Amino acid sequence: MAMKCGNCGPGYPTPLEAMKGPREEIVYLPCIYRNTGTEAPDYLATVDVNPKSPQYSQVIHRLPMPNLKDELHHSGWNTCSSCFGDNTKSRNKLVLPSFISSRIYVVDVGTEPRAPKLHKVIEPKDIHEKCGLGNPHTSHCLSTGEVMISTLGDRKGNAKGGFLLLDAETFDVKGTWERPGGAAPMGYDFWYQPRHNVMISTEWAAPNVIQDGFNPADVEAGLYGSHLHVWDWQRHEIVQTLPLQDGLIPLEIRFLHNPAASQGFVGCALSSTIQRFYKNEGGTWSVEKVIQVPPKKVKGWMLPEMPGLITDILLSLDDRFLYFSNWLHGDLRQYDISDPQRPRLTGQIFLGGSIVNGGPVQVLEDQELKSQPEPLVVKGKHVPGGPQMIQLSLDGKRLYVTTSLYSAWDKQFYPDLIREGSVMLQIDVDTEKGGLKLNPNFLVDFGKEPLGPALAHELRYPGGDCTSDIWL
């Protein structure tokens, strides 16, 4: 078991200690109704993932938000392993930014973990007036007793990559993290690493560009992101902007978990590349492409070539494996990154996608596959959509997957998701030799929700996970 410490705060002292933590028993994930035709608020679902439980792979609680069309998306904690040395801290609040409405909900998951309740609502006006920001996305806790949330826009939906700060006790909006006037041109995700005095952020596009769907002409017009922004962690300002070669729409960014490491990876969705960023001897930062998923020439789709569309990535806590999802092609991949400059494919599994055999899309030329993959059926359910958000168990042996990206893009690329709802699946991982295998006994069908089919998104464990905890 993990090291016991009577005087410690939330989380674990190191990533390797976290791997010894208890097995996950429940997960939280936001479920979205915007763009589905159901006039109901988004909600936070609690799912039982304990195989010994009679409610295994079932939604055991639903916490509806008080407003419509928020588009809950990602979530984060009030505190995490960055505060491990502070025994006054407790990981008991989940922070839920709303991607479209710009509200932020704070949910109490500490009083009754299996039945969370709403703790506080931060209205858009507060964020607009105090920060000049809107469309919050990624939430990370800081060791200062604050919560930092990245944004994609200003109050009018124009591109603005800023960061707002919340007090982690009162959840009052304190202002911006970056210096006045110092926001990035675009925003999306971020990861910080104090030992190297650095934070690196990514960019998607202006909220006004993406809120109603994807238009290829916007790519030609340069309205989508293609850079990483390197920030001085102490001075709160950009010190480098790195253009990405073959790096359109850099989304999720992950440093290696080892806090001494000075490198990590970012997934670039549209160009379907994984890029490694790293610190040079002189203290500057560089980036290089290390994985390319080739597009497939197709017929019966919106474009003559279909990208994989890498939409989520994560790293195992021992920094041995990299995982990512190709939302359009439909496969989930595992790479051995023992040598970060030369990732080696060790596992691949198809979980639906746009190129399944018998579907509307015909593959004319494929550099990787000899035939189109078969549709996925789990416990009698034909799985719509493709693998999207992923979360790994602390010990690295179970990978959970959901199939919704963002309601407007779901509606455009996978209309079946809107009609049938998304699903949550579980993949068994070979952590010795590498390899991925579907667990045929696990399925959460969000098409059968009480108010109608819902779109389930990002996953969080009560005790922290591979994508929310940062070690100092």
Side-chain angles (χ1 to χ4, degrees):
M1 290 299 292
M3 182 182 80
K4 296 297 181 185
C5 175
N7 224 11
C8 297
Y12 301 90
T14 67
L16 295 183
E17 281 295 322
M19 293 188 75
K20 304 173 187 176
R23 178 177 173 137
E24 67 285 354
E25 294 186 358
I26 56 175
V27 299
Y28 304 120
L29 65 170
C31 294
I32 291 87
Y33 274 125
R34 179 175 170 266
N35 277 314
T36 66
T38 298
E39 289 294 310
D42 299 346
Y43 59 97
L44 183 70
T46 306
V47 173
D48 191 321
V49 295
N50 180 358
K52 297 179 181 178
S53 168
Q55 296 174 304
Y56 179 55
S57 80
Q58 294 178 30
V59 179
I60 58 173
H61 186 267
R62 299 168 184 87
L63 174 66
M65 300 302 117
N67 300 281
L68 296 173
K69 298 180 175 25
D70 281 315
E71 187 93 35
L72 298 180
H73 199 61
H74 285 209
S75 61
W77 296 104
N78 61 320
T79 187
C80 70
S81 292
S82 66
C83 298
F84 178 75
D86 187 347
N87 64 1
T88 67
K89 306 292 185 187
S90 177
R91 191 192 323 242
N92 56 12
K93 302 291 192 306
L94 189 63
V95 179
L96 284 169
S98 301
F99 188 52
I100 292 298
S101 72
S102 295
R103 281 187 191 87
I104 299 173
Y105 297 103
V106 181
V107 176
D108 175 2
V109 297
T111 304
E112 179 46 71
R114 298 176 72 87
K117 58 185 179 181
L118 192 60
H119 175 72
K120 183 171 182 175
V121 181
I122 302 164
E123 292 294 344
K125 182 180 178 183
D126 204 11
I127 299 165
H128 293 160
E129 292 182 351
K130 291 183 179 178
C131 303
L133 298 172
N135 307 94
H137 184 267
T138 297
S139 175
H140 276 304
C141 53
L142 308 184
S143 60
T144 56
E146 297 167 309
V147 174
M148 181 166 157
I149 306 176
S150 60
T151 67
L152 273 73
D154 62 15
R155 67 176 69 197
K156 295 182 179 179
N158 302 307
K160 190 174 184 180
F163 304 87
L164 64 92
L165 290 174
L166 302 179
D167 183 291
E169 296 292 333
T170 64
F171 299 100
D172 292 335
V173 178
K174 299 181 67 174
T176 61
W177 175 85
E178 73 278 7
R179 294 187 174 205
M186 296 183 190
Y188 184 70
D189 195 21
F190 73 101
W191 198 281
Y192 66 89
Q193 183 42 275
R195 291 197 192 183
H196 297 280
N197 188 36
V198 70
M199 177 181 81
I200 302 182
S201 64
T202 64
E203 47 183 35
W204 186 1
N208 290 338
V209 170
I210 59 176
Q211 65 179 358
D212 294 324
F214 174 74
N215 183 348
D218 291 336
V219 179
E220 298 296 324
L223 299 181
Y224 279 92
S226 59
H227 295 80
L228 298 183
H229 301 286
V230 182
W231 301 73
D232 185 299
W233 184 241
Q234 293 179 340
R235 300 206 316 259
H236 301 195
E237 61 185 18
I238 296 174
V239 292
Q240 260 187 288
T241 293
L242 302 175
L244 293 162
Q245 184 179 9
D246 298 326
L248 272 173
I249 313 185
L251 294 182
E252 312 301 336
I253 187 165
R254 317 290 185 209
F255 259 93
L256 295 184
H257 293 290
N258 178 355
S262 57
Q263 61 181 319
F265 299 90
V266 59
C268 299
L270 194 57
S271 53
S272 303
T273 61
I274 298 291
Q275 312 261 346
R276 181 181 79 99
F277 59 87
Y278 57 96
K279 189 178 183 180
N280 301 302
E281 288 186 8
T284 59
W285 293 78
S286 296
V287 64
E288 64 175 352
K289 180 173 72 172
V290 291
I291 299 173
Q292 172 74 66
V293 176
K296 302 181 190 299
K297 291 187 178 179
V298 294
K299 182 180 179 182
W301 197 62
M302 66 183 297
L303 297 170
E305 285 196 342
M306 180 188 292
L309 208 75
I310 297 173
T311 50
D312 196 17
I313 73 168
L314 61 76
L315 308 179
S316 60
L317 286 170
D318 56 5
D319 292 330
R320 185 181 166 200
F321 291 113
L322 163 73
Y323 298 87
F324 68 80
S325 52
N326 284 309
W327 189 57
L328 290 178
H329 287 178
D331 60 315
L332 189 63
R333 301 191 185 199
Q334 174 198 50
Y335 284 79
D336 186 315
I337 52 168
S338 302
D339 180 353
Q341 292 180 265
R342 298 169 187 81
R344 181 172 58 89
L345 182 65
T346 50
Q348 183 179 24
I349 186 170
F350 277 84
L351 304 170
S354 293
I355 59 165
V356 291
N357 192 25
V361 176
Q362 180 186 357
V363 178
L364 305 176
E365 188 177 314
D366 194 323
Q367 298 180 39
E368 295 184 317
L369 303 177
K370 294 181 179 179
S371 61
Q372 295 181 223
E374 292 302 313
L376 179 65
V377 178
V378 182
K379 298 180 76 172
K381 165 79 171 182
H382 181 280
V383 172
Q388 209 286 104
M389 293 308 296
I390 52 178
Q391 190 56 264
L392 189 66
S393 60
L394 294 177
D395 62 10
K397 295 181 179 179
R398 292 166 302 284
L399 194 65
Y400 296 92
V401 188
T402 57
T403 52
S404 166
L405 171 61
Y406 161 59
S407 68
W409 287 28
D410 292 351
K411 187 176 181 179
Q412 184 175 3
F413 291 104
Y414 287 117
D416 285 357
L417 267 181
I418 302 297
R419 293 190 296 267
E420 301 174 31
S422 64
V423 301
M424 176 179 166
L425 305 170
Q426 189 247 303
I427 309 299
D428 291 322
V429 178
D430 186 332
T431 56
E432 295 182 13
K433 299 177 182 177
L436 303 172
K437 184 179 179 181
L438 178 72
N439 177 351
N441 299 314
F442 187 99
L443 171 76
V444 185
D445 182 0
F446 289 95
K448 295 181 178 178
E449 287 295 271
L451 297 181
L455 303 170
H457 196 61
E458 190 199 40
L459 307 112
R460 288 273 176 248
Y461 310 133
D465 46 63
C466 295
T467 56
S468 64
D469 274 27
I470 292 177
W471 281 266
L472 307 183

